[in-house]
């Protein structure tokens, strides 16, 4: 029986009472264990001005690649709306030159998306979707990020993440430029420009998306692998996957669509322990959704339940987190794989204590049938 590959998405979360240095050391430790347990990839998210330490994926990818032997290491994903194609190609080209064939270049358009929402006029709201059940998989109503993206805090972050007066380039154009630089065919104003390192690197762009929008369309049209974020946007992940498959055209990289789907999980030896470890998750997500940014991950032993109005704001995320013993979580992951048709699953498991996060990943790796 073929086991669907399982990978890890790590935010390098800073727990309450700890610091970024501890979070980074924990990430390296988890990556080393993940390699032993048989995970295929170890991906690092990019976040800024919040209590997670993965603010510069390329830097952390290099450190983790150096501390491991064969696991693929990559970004989930570089926010290319805040940077340039050449910066991405050169930074990943350096890592690939040192660890050839092991580096995954994940790309996301969140910087462009935030800029579009922040500067757009208000749009009439579509009728809210009801909660749905698709063959047993919970699909909540989509979360509307517009108020969050229009918040003063997000606007302030945007002014710091980009050069003054800069505007994010079109995502499709940026991806095309990255592929041309990797292929050695990039030109500007009639001049050939060559990325060193980067040109002819063993790098494939992985496109991350959450809706039936540009990211899914670009990934499909260019024949690139696509990662759908069920763990962040469970209400629209199926739409994104459908849009990708509809847009897919074979390329030199892929003859058929390749879909990775993410899930947020907490696994423990028994269900009650898992539920307790996950009990502070809603408060952490609320800190993000309310506009203050991710707080240090709360200790469940000290965490009060959210008031109803706050719980409602994060209900889509808490209802779609996979929490339980290894059998329970494996069953839900298999359901996610079946409903989405995923070729690969990537899981993130955030707990206050590092030992609990290690145990969560170890338990599901063994139950899933991974082999080191």
């Amino acid at each position: 029986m073929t086991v669907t590959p399982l990978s890890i998405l790590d935010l390098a979360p800073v727990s309450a009472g700890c610091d970024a240095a501890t979070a980074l050391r924990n990430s390296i430790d988890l990556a080393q264990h993940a390699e032993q347990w048989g995970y295929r990839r170890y991906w690092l998210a990019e976040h800024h001005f919040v209590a997670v330490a993965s603010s510069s994926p390329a830097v952390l990818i290099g450190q983790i690649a150096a501390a491991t032997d064969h696991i693929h290491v990559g970004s989930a994903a570089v926010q290319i709306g805040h940077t340039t194609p050449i910066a991405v190609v050169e930074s990943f080209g350096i890592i690939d030159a040192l660890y050839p064939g092991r580096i995954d270049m994940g790309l996301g358009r969140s910087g462009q998306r935030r800029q579009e929402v922040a500067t757009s006029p208000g749009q009439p709201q579509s009728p809210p979707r009801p909660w749905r059940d698709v063959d047993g998989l919970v699909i909540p109503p989509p979360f509307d990020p517009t108020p969050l993206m229009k918040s003063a805090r997000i606007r302030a972050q945007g002014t710091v993440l980009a050069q003054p007066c800069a505007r994010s380039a079109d995502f499709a154009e940026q991806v095309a430029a990255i592929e041309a630089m990797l292929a050695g065919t990039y030109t500007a104003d009639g001049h050939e420009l060559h990325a060193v390192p980067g040109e002819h690197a063993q790098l494939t762009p992985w496109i991350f998306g959450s809706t039936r929008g540009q990211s899914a369309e670009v990934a499909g049209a260019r024949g690139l692998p696509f990662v759908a974020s069920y763990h962040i946007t469970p209400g629209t992940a199926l739409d994104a996957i459908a849009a990708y498959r509809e847009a897919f055209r074979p390329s030199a990289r892929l003859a058929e669509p390749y879909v990775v789907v993410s899930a947020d999980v907490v696994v423990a030896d028994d269900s009650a322990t898992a539920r307790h470890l996950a009990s502070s998750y809603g408060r952490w997500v609320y800190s993000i959704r309310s506009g203050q940014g991710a707080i240090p991950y709360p200790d469940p032993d000290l965490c009060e339940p959210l008031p109803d109005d706050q719980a409602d704001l994060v209900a889509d995320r808490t209802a779609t987190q996979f929490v339980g013993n290894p059998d329970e979580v494996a069953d839900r992951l298999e359901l996610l794989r079946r409903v989405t048709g995923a070729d690969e699953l990537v899981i993130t498991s955030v707990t206050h204590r590092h030992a609990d996060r290690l145990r969560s990943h170890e338990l599901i790796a063994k139950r899933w049938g991974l082999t080191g």
Side-chain angles (χ1 to χ4, degrees):
M1 177 179 173
T2 301
V3 176
T4 301
L6 199 60
S7 299
I8 290 176
L9 165 58
D10 180 19
L11 283 69
V14 178
S15 291
C18 294
D19 57 17
T22 300
L24 293 170
R25 287 192 291 269
N26 288 344
S27 288
I28 292 173
D29 182 57
L30 176 57
Q32 291 171 326
H33 281 89
E35 183 171 73
Q36 297 170 12
W37 294 329
Y39 285 93
R40 175 170 288 188
R41 309 178 198 280
Y42 197 91
W43 284 345
L44 288 308
E46 178 181 346
H47 293 285
H48 302 276
F49 306 112
V50 292
V52 297
S54 56
S55 53
S56 181
V59 174
L60 190 49
I61 288 166
Q63 295 296 313
I64 289 178
T68 53
D69 295 320
H70 56 78
I71 193 170
H72 280 241
V73 190
S75 53
V78 172
Q79 299 176 14
I80 63 172
H82 300 145
T83 185
T84 61
I86 186 59
V88 175
V89 171
E90 288 179 338
S91 60
F92 278 76
I94 288 171
I95 310 171
D96 177 76
L98 296 172
Y99 308 100
R102 291 182 56 200
I103 307 304
D104 297 330
M105 178 194 285
L107 306 175
R109 68 182 290 268
S110 56
Q112 179 187 350
R113 170 65 174 153
R114 288 174 187 163
Q115 196 170 77
E116 290 170 349
V117 172
T119 58
S120 67
Q123 299 293 327
Q125 292 296 309
S126 302
R129 288 190 196 175
W131 287 76
R132 294 185 293 148
D133 180 306
V134 179
D135 294 336
L137 183 70
V138 174
I139 306 296
F143 172 74
D144 180 11
T146 303
L148 176 59
M149 291 188 180
K150 285 181 175 290
S151 70
R153 177 184 174 86
I154 296 298
R155 289 199 303 270
Q157 291 180 10
T159 64
V160 176
L161 290 170
Q163 294 291 338
C165 301
R167 183 167 185 82
S168 297
D170 179 73
F171 183 69
E173 294 175 0
Q174 288 186 298
V175 175
I178 286 171
E179 288 213 278
M181 290 175 185
L182 291 172
T185 59
Y186 184 78
T187 61
D189 297 329
H191 298 277
E192 294 183 1
L193 299 178
H194 300 278
V196 182
E199 187 168 300
H200 303 310
Q202 298 179 49
L203 293 168
T204 294
W206 295 68
I207 307 300
F208 285 66
S210 57
T211 66
R212 179 183 282 274
Q214 190 184 27
S215 296
E217 293 170 359
V218 168
R222 301 195 69 85
L224 297 172
F226 183 66
V227 186
S229 61
Y230 181 79
H231 84 286
I232 297 177
T233 55
T236 54
L238 292 184
D239 297 337
I241 294 167
Y244 165 66
R245 291 197 170 110
E246 290 166 9
F248 186 83
R249 299 293 180 271
S251 69
R253 300 184 187 277
L254 286 179
E256 298 178 346
Y258 192 90
V259 174
V260 182
V261 181
S262 63
D264 203 306
V265 313
V266 175
V267 190
D269 291 277
D270 61 82
S271 301
T273 299
R275 288 193 296 271
H276 175 67
L277 296 178
S279 63
S280 55
Y281 176 73
R283 188 165 292 278
W284 184 69
V285 175
Y286 179 78
S287 71
I288 301 168
R289 289 272 177 91
S290 62
Q292 69 182 107
I295 60 174
Y297 200 84
D299 185 342
D301 295 342
L302 306 174
C303 200
E304 295 292 330
L306 285 174
D308 290 345
D309 60 331
Q310 296 181 7
D312 288 344
L313 185 65
V314 300
D316 61 322
R317 295 283 296 275
T318 54
T320 55
Q321 188 184 34
F322 298 170
V323 179
N325 63 43
D327 288 338
E328 291 168 331
V329 173
D331 286 346
R332 294 186 70 182
L333 285 173
E334 173 55 27
L335 173 64
L336 180 67
R337 185 210 62 77
R338 179 171 57 80
V339 172
T340 61
D343 301 286
E344 186 173 335
L345 297 175
V346 58
I347 60 172
T348 180
S349 185
V350 185
T351 58
H352 177 259
R353 285 173 286 274
H354 180 55
D356 294 326
R357 188 161 69 127
L358 285 175
R359 185 62 173 159
S360 180
H361 284 296
E362 179 185 16
L363 287 170
I364 196 60
K366 291 180 177 178
R367 174 58 181 80
W368 198 251
L370 303 184
T371 56

